[in-house]
Amino acid sequence: MNAYKILLVDDERIIREAIARTVDWERLGLTLIGTAADGLQAWEQIEELRPDIVLTDIKMPRIDGLELIRRTKEHLPDTQFAVLSGYDEFDLAVRAMNHGVKHYLLKPCDEQEIERALSEIIRELDEARRRDKLLTAARQADEARLTEREPLLALLLEEPLALAPETAEHLQQAKQLDLKLRLIFVQWETATACQELRVREVAAAQSGADRPFGQSAVAGNRLLASVADGGLAPAVAAAQLLRDELLSRCPGLRLTVAVSDAGPPEALARLYKDAQAYAARVFYLGAGRIATSELAEPARAAVAAPEAARGELVAAALRVGDIEGARQELAAFFQALAAARCDRHTSLSLCLQLMTAMLKDTPPEELLSKTAQLLSLPTLGDIEHCIAGELEITAQRFEDSSTHKGTAVVMRMKRLIAYYLAHEELSLQWLGQHHLFMNAEYLGRLFRKETNEKFSLYLTRLRIERAKELIATETESKMYEIAERSGFGGDQQYFGNVFKKFTGLSPLEYRKSLAGKSR
């Protein structure tokens, strides 16, 4: 096969030149067509030279690696990337994986590591070339069949939302389609050339007169088959048989299956769009389910997705050994995510943030492997099971010391409160950000669990006690000075209101009562 073209991108000249000099490009079957010192320069060369592979740094001036990958994938989707990244840039590498990047090299790396990663990419490109060659032959052989028997579904797959009036008229005249029909929609993520050929064979074998499907067509990673409408149950049964046959012929193929509502031929575009929308729900329904309109939930108020910060609540609970709290937070996270019904990409992004927050102390190579596994899971239930498993593994490490750690954190909070009591900015947020490096919401719950008292109430009570001491011992001090030194800042009126709420007396009345007792 012809050599593949590769572009090398790194803003550090020494690294760029070292890689260019030491990697044996020719032995790998690669041609180094250029190097670039930043993302913008790399993008200009990609547009002009169209490399098969780009080996790129991720943190660069002008355009960073993420933006370079995004732009390239948008215009040249077949271009493969390998990412170079430092330990502190792992979050960026995870985001690169969302753009389809599968190869990640941790700096510093030697030429052997780089060559191993490039060899994997070359194998993938070789497989893609072989696959394209096989599929081209298959499509040519299939062309007559598609032209004679499946023109309408084939057209629909190419232009699913734009049926011209003459196309609708053509649909009405099609002898193969009944007056009303349903569409079975099947989609898969990746398939080998052999698997796609088998998918085509299955579709062809089950289509035609006296067979389950009137018409069928395969394009890319999608299969459509039409069935005469006899109700939803028979259509679902036909979809199950198709799914089972595909899985029997193509083991390991991960399928998403949906059945449309019934409609006349001229509504084919709408039925196809509806079936796609139903298929998107499989992420929430669970593996093996066939999505239909009956599985749609009734209209309801919009539910917000869980904030990314909720992952920090799980992580904070783990750090202090509060395993039960971590389990509760994890369950709440996935309940909120399931209720929100975000698109799959948003849900995956939130789950990735949760995973990386939980496993901050995990070595980057191991964490990368775990996140790659997470991205490959087909349903939200699978993802929850995976992350819950990681939580239990982590929990095992804290089994003997979780209670002591929770108590230790609260004891430290109390020491910090005592030391910074006069600081007006003292709060859970401030402690978490500047001293404990933990989520404020979690700290508040932990404090209440250990003390049976809210943090805010505890803090205010201590400040009032401090104010009472100062009033008793510093008889010449002004009340605004007492307020400041007790942590109430310069708001004397607020101080007075809080003081009276706790003691039943204003600060001045309290001072007078002390003076009366001393006589």
Side-chain angles (χ1 to χ4, degrees), residues 167 193 203 237 247 270 338 346 379 395 434 453 470 478:
T167 307
L247 291 176
R270 176 180 58 78
T346 299
T379 70
H434 296 284
E453 186 173 21
L470 292 173
K478 305 294 185 184

Side-chain angles (χ1 to χ4, degrees), residues 98-399:
N98 280 328
H99 292 290
V101 176
K102 295 184 286 186
H103 302 279
Y104 168 84
L105 293 162
L106 193 64
K107 292 181 180 179
C109 53
D110 57 29
E111 66 270 21
Q112 285 83 15
E113 292 175 276
I114 294 173
E115 289 179 6
R116 278 196 296 272
L118 293 177
S119 294
E120 289 180 23
I121 294 176
I122 290 166
R123 281 195 293 273
E124 291 167 7
L125 289 171
D126 286 344
E127 172 61 27
R129 280 187 175 182
R130 285 191 292 270
R131 179 177 180 271
D132 289 344
K133 193 173 180 180
L134 282 169
L135 289 179
T136 298
R139 285 166 183 155
Q140 287 172 348
D142 232 11
E143 189 173 338
R145 182 173 64 86
L146 283 170
T147 300
E148 293 173 8
R149 196 175 60 77
E150 302 176 357
L152 307 180
L153 287 178
L155 174 64
L156 186 61
L157 283 165
E158 295 304 319
E159 298 179 82
L161 303 181
L163 286 181
E166 59 270 21
T167 307
E169 184 179 350
H170 193 184
L171 284 169
Q172 289 175 315
Q173 296 171 353
K175 295 180 181 179
Q176 296 94 332
L177 297 178
D178 293 331
L179 185 60
K180 281 199 173 183
L181 54 83
R182 292 179 187 265
L183 289 179
I184 296 174
F185 172 82
V186 184
Q187 189 170 33
W188 52 92
E189 291 186 13
T190 56
T192 65
C194 291
Q195 285 176 324
E196 185 166 334
L197 288 172
R198 287 174 185 149
V199 168
R200 289 174 175 273
E201 289 171 1
V202 169
Q206 298 196 25
S207 302
D210 300 322
R211 294 180 184 177
F213 309 126
Q215 290 189 352
S216 67
V218 179
N221 66 336
R222 294 163 294 166
L223 182 158
L224 270 185
S226 65
V227 292
D229 178 38
L232 180 59
V236 170
Q240 290 170 335
L241 289 173
L242 176 61
R243 178 197 63 196
D244 295 345
E245 179 67 14
L246 289 172
L247 291 176
S248 173
R249 296 289 305 278
C250 308
L253 196 63
R254 203 157 58 232
L255 301 175
T256 297
V257 185
V259 175
S260 79
D261 299 328
E266 60 267 26
L268 200 59
R270 176 180 58 78
L271 300 184
Y272 176 61
K273 185 178 178 182
D274 289 345
Q276 284 184 304
Y278 302 156
R281 299 186 183 129
V282 171
F283 180 68
Y284 292 98
L285 296 175
R289 300 288 297 276
I290 293 178
T292 68
S293 61
E294 289 193 355
L295 293 173
E297 296 184 21
R300 57 180 180 175
V303 178
E307 296 180 2
R310 188 173 287 274
E312 291 292 343
L313 296 178
V314 179
L318 284 175
R319 280 198 292 272
V320 299
D322 182 8
I323 307 306
E324 190 54 40
R327 291 186 184 115
Q328 291 173 3
E329 290 296 343
L330 190 68
F333 173 88
F334 279 102
Q335 285 170 5
L337 196 56
R341 288 292 196 267
C342 305
D343 62 89
R344 187 173 188 271
H345 177 80
T346 299
S347 294
L348 279 176
S349 179
L350 288 167
C351 290
L352 278 174
Q353 292 177 63
L354 169 65
M355 175 85 108
T356 52
M358 279 176 53
L359 304 179
K360 278 182 179 176
D361 298 329
T362 303
E365 296 90 342
E366 183 182 345
L367 185 54
L368 182 69
S369 174
K370 291 179 184 295
T371 51
Q373 177 191 0
L374 188 83
L375 288 170
S376 71
L377 296 172
T379 70
L380 186 65
D382 294 321
I383 292 172
E384 181 176 7
H385 181 74
C386 173
I387 294 181
E390 293 296 336
L391 187 151
E392 294 306 321
I393 291 171
T394 306
Q396 196 65 38
R397 301 171 191 162
F398 293 100
E399 189 175 19

Side-chain angles (χ1 to χ4, degrees), residues 455-487:
F455 174 87
S456 58
L457 184 60
Y458 177 84
L459 176 60
T460 303
R461 182 167 57 78
L462 261 61
R463 282 176 165 166
I464 293 298
E465 292 301 321
R466 172 71 61 85
K468 288 165 68 176
E469 291 173 9
L470 292 173
I471 292 172
T473 57
E474 300 190 12
T475 56
E476 299 300 319
S477 293
K478 305 294 185 184
M479 283 304 168
Y480 72 85
E481 294 174 332
I482 300 288
E484 286 180 352
R485 293 171 62 187
S486 303

